[in-house]
Amino acid sequence: GLNYTLVYDEKMAGVNLKGDDSFGVAGLIGANYKFPDSPFGVAFDLRYINIESDLKADGVDVGTLKVNPWVVGLSASYDY
């Protein structure tokens, strides 16, 4: 899939930090399991997200921030 990350500007120690918004790839794999004779179930998913943002400090290019997290999800479900 695709990922869009909105990057907010920050001010730290008197320095204005600005990052470009990011488009990147995202992947997801997961599974759902419903308990027999029950409305309850569980779901598991694993996601990979590619985020790259060009950074500026007080208007000067300082490099590219690369964040590529793996996100693990575990949730309960109820089907009525």
Side-chain angles (χ1 to χ4, degrees), residues 51-69:
I51 303 168
E52 292 187 17
S53 178
D54 292 330
L55 300 178
K56 293 183 180 181
D58 288 332
V60 178
D61 289 330
V62 293
T64 300
L65 173 68
K66 296 180 181 181
V67 182
N68 299 313

Side-chain angles (χ1 to χ4, degrees), residues 10-54:
E10 290 289 330
K11 187 169 188 172
M12 291 178 46
V15 176
N16 292 315
L17 299 173
K18 179 169 177 47
D20 293 339
D21 294 348
S22 172
F23 278 100
V25 296
L28 165 70
I29 188 169
N32 296 317
Y33 176 77
K34 185 176 174 191
F35 297 111
D37 301 322
S38 172
F40 294 98
V42 293
F44 169 80
D45 63 78
L46 179 64
R47 301 167 191 243
Y48 171 82
I49 306 167
N50 176 265
I51 303 168
E52 292 187 17
S53 178
D54 292 330

